[in-house]
Amino acid sequence: MPEQPQEPRRTPLSRDRVLRAAVAFADGSGIEALSMRRLAQELGVVPMALYKHVASKEELLDGMVEVVVAGIGGRAPGSDWKSAVRGRILGARGALLAHTWAAQVIRSRSGPTPAVLAYLDSVIAMFRAGGFSLDLTHHVMHALGSRVLGFTEELFDDPASTAPQDERAQAAAYEEMARRYPHVTELARSVAHDRGSVIGPGCDDAFEFAFALDLLLDGFERLHAQGWNSTP
Amino acid sequence: MPEQPQEPRRTPLSRDRVLRAAVAFADGSGIEALSMRRLAQELGVVPMALYKHVASKEELLDGMVEVVVAGIGGRAPGSDWKSAVRGRILGARGALLAHTWAAQVIRSRSGPTPAVLAYLDSVIAMFRAGGFSLDLTHHVMHALGSRVLGFTEELFDDPASTAPQDERAQAAAYEEMARRYPHVTELARSVAHDRGSVIGPGCDDAFEFAFALDLLLDGFERLHAQGWNSTP
DNA sequence: ACCTGAACACCGTTCAAGT
DNA sequence: ACCTGAACACCGTTCAAGT
């Protein structure tokens, strides 16, 4: 019997290996480049081999979310509810920053995966430990929305990303902009001025995230202190 | 010369007609069913005919956002900044509720379209008319995020949408849920109890939206009153 | 029983051939 | 010059044939 050519299948495929490969691929090439076919190619297997470990692409995406969310840290036991929640949410933000595709994929999922539920459970527990009523905790969780997982929908992600064009066209575009959207333009100009550059590096995401988070947490604290109730 | 068969091309194609057809199609069949090929079929033309009016599917989606955002009302001139902003944002929410796909499509776009810029300009103008500094207005707009356009990322869209299964399996799943996520379960149970149903109709979206919006607006008011500055 | 190549039913978009 | 059918380079997933 002739010797079989040694196949270089280093590690046998497993659900975990598929998921980690998908995360690494999305990190490197972007989520839009991730397809079952390309992932299989990356792993050196035939596309259909993936379907033994994930039932569908949907399940693959769910699994990728699990990997990222399971990596959220930021637990600081013993502190007051406010700094506990704050620390945990900033921890979530950190985990998501490492995987730029994660927020988008979480948004696209219909229901929460187990790791997301476990995470939410831990945040709810912090409010409850701080003496929040079930009623207030409920609405407070809604008010946080996706911010509890460390991301928010920004409407203008980078206003400075205009395609390079010649000076005259740029000046004309700017003038048109200032004429049609005077307040947007004024705001953009003042931000650029504050940061000392005409085509600035955009806004400080970390500052804006903390600004809004603290505004909400302060609001929660105030409602809690006055014994707020949804049906007075 | 034989008579040409009368073609039933009622109205000649135009960019506007293409966009309105796309909006109607997405309203009826969902955004995921919308493809260039199916839209062309709907309009009784060959797929390539669309490309004379929209350069790509991306541009089609941008155009659809324009149609929806241009339809936002809620301008109440003469009122104070808080009720003006509140009314306008609730108006945006109304416009988006009529097109369930709109929020998702806006999220997926990279930059703001002209109608979105015009809308943002009008909201910024309201804060400025209320005496807000450029600095505070800037951060306040970030804090609103997508909420300024009437939508937010809710993490659990309808927790009651469990697939129908036999009672025993359901009870087991519930018990498992209560064991692994005790705080989530407690919260869900209290909400269901308040609304008087075991498998309730979910949460009151309109209430949650207004709750969070008012919390933010109150926070803005407080910062404005105390002359808040990002660099004290 | 397991594995997998080919096929199916789609995409968005290019392009060359036809009028 | 305009219009459009066929083709290209992809998808996710099914399925039957091969080992």
Side-chain angles (χ1 to χ4, degrees):
Chain A
M1 193 183 279
E3 209 177 310
Q4 296 278 40
Q6 181 85 25
E7 294 229 339
R9 190 188 293 170
R10 312 264 159 76
T11 331
L13 224 50
S14 70
R15 184 182 161 86
D16 190 61
R17 211 163 89 80
V18 169
L19 295 184
R20 278 187 293 109
V23 167
F25 184 87
D27 286 348
S29 307
I31 193 73
E32 72 286 344
L34 178 71
S35 72
M36 297 299 275
R37 290 165 127 104
R38 290 210 53 178
L39 179 59
Q41 190 182 306
E42 205 77 9
L43 284 161
V45 299
V46 86
M48 283 313 296
L50 298 177
Y51 284 84
K52 210 181 331 183
H53 301 99
V54 287
S56 63
K57 190 180 181 183
E58 298 288 289
E59 202 186 288
L60 176 76
L61 293 171
D62 277 339
M64 292 168 72
V65 171
E66 290 294 282
V67 169
V68 172
V69 174
I72 297 178
R75 198 66 164 271
S79 42
D80 64 303
W81 71 264
K82 206 174 178 184
S83 46
V85 168
R86 192 176 196 274
R88 193 111 166 99
I89 290 181
L90 291 180
R93 180 166 187 272
L96 291 211
L97 280 183
H99 307 282
T100 49
W101 47 269
Q104 181 183 148
V105 172
I106 291 171
R107 285 183 320 210
S108 75
R109 308 289 74 211
S110 58
T113 54
V116 170
L117 279 173
Y119 174 81
L120 294 175
D121 204 75
S122 77
V123 177
I124 294 171
M126 289 170 178
F127 282 114
R128 296 289 286 147
F132 278 52
S133 70
L134 281 173
D135 186 28
L136 181 55
T137 304
H138 171 222
H139 299 299
V140 141
M141 288 297 289
H142 273 291
L144 284 173
S146 74
R147 204 181 300 271
V148 77
L149 264 171
F151 67 96
T152 43
E153 221 53 67
E154 290 280 350
L155 280 179
F156 16 65
D157 38 15
D158 49 303
S161 73
T162 41
Q165 43 186 348
D166 67 285
E167 264 180 61
R168 226 168 16 130
Q170 185 133 0
Y174 188 84
E175 201 150 323
E176 168 74 0
M177 176 98 180
R179 200 179 53 75
R180 294 181 61 176
Y181 320 110
H183 298 97
V184 168
T185 309
E186 184 188 33
L187 211 58
R189 184 157 33 195
S190 86
V191 172
H193 180 266
D194 284 357
R195 318 204 99 231
S197 62
V198 184
I199 298 293
C203 302
D204 184 344
D205 289 340
F207 179 89
E208 306 304 345
F209 190 86
F211 175 82
L213 177 59
D214 289 336
L215 210 55
L216 287 168
L217 293 178
D218 287 348
F220 300 165
E221 187 172 43
R222 207 166 281 116
L223 292 178
H224 175 44
Q226 69 194 44
W228 183 90
N229 210 303
S230 67
T231 50
Chain B
M1 194 183 277
E3 208 177 309
Q4 295 278 36
Q6 180 85 27
E7 293 228 342
R9 192 188 292 170
R10 312 264 158 77
T11 331
L13 223 52
S14 70
R15 183 183 161 86
D16 189 62
R17 213 164 87 79
V18 168
L19 295 184
R20 279 188 291 109
V23 167
F25 184 87
D27 285 347
S29 306
I31 192 71
E32 73 287 344
L34 177 72
S35 72
M36 298 299 275
R37 290 165 127 103
R38 289 210 53 177
L39 179 58
Q41 191 181 306
E42 206 76 8
L43 284 161
V45 300
V46 84
M48 283 313 297
L50 299 176
Y51 284 84
K52 209 181 331 186
H53 301 99
V54 287
S56 63
K57 190 179 182 185
E58 298 287 289
E59 202 186 289
L60 176 76
L61 293 172
D62 277 341
M64 292 169 70
V65 171
E66 290 294 282
V67 170
V68 172
V69 173
I72 296 179
R75 198 67 164 271
S79 43
D80 64 302
W81 71 265
K82 205 173 175 182
S83 45
V85 169
R86 193 176 195 274
R88 193 109 167 99
I89 290 181
L90 291 179
R93 181 167 187 272
L96 290 213
L97 280 183
H99 307 283
T100 48
W101 47 269
Q104 180 185 147
V105 172
I106 291 171
R107 284 182 320 210
S108 75
R109 307 291 74 212
S110 59
T113 54
V116 170
L117 278 173
Y119 173 81
L120 294 176
D121 204 75
S122 77
V123 177
I124 294 171
M126 289 170 178
F127 283 115
R128 295 289 286 149
F132 277 54
S133 69
L134 281 172
D135 185 29
L136 181 54
T137 303
H138 171 223
H139 299 299
V140 142
M141 289 296 290
H142 273 291
L144 284 172
S146 75
R147 205 181 299 270
V148 78
L149 264 171
F151 68 93
T152 42
E153 219 54 65
E154 290 278 351
L155 280 179
F156 16 65
D157 40 14
D158 50 301
S161 72
T162 42
Q165 42 186 351
D166 67 285
E167 265 181 59
R168 219 158 32 118
Q170 187 134 2
Y174 188 84
E175 202 150 323
E176 167 75 359
M177 176 96 179
R179 197 178 55 74
R180 293 182 61 176
Y181 320 111
H183 297 96
V184 168
T185 308
E186 184 190 33
L187 210 58
R189 184 158 32 196
S190 87
V191 173
H193 180 266
D194 284 357
R195 319 204 99 230
S197 63
V198 182
I199 298 292
C203 303
D204 184 342
D205 288 340
F207 179 89
E208 305 304 345
F209 190 86
F211 175 82
L213 177 58
D214 289 337
L215 210 54
L216 287 168
L217 293 178
D218 288 348
F220 300 165
E221 188 171 42
R222 207 165 281 116
L223 292 178
H224 176 44
Q226 68 194 45
W228 183 89
N229 209 303
S230 67
T231 50

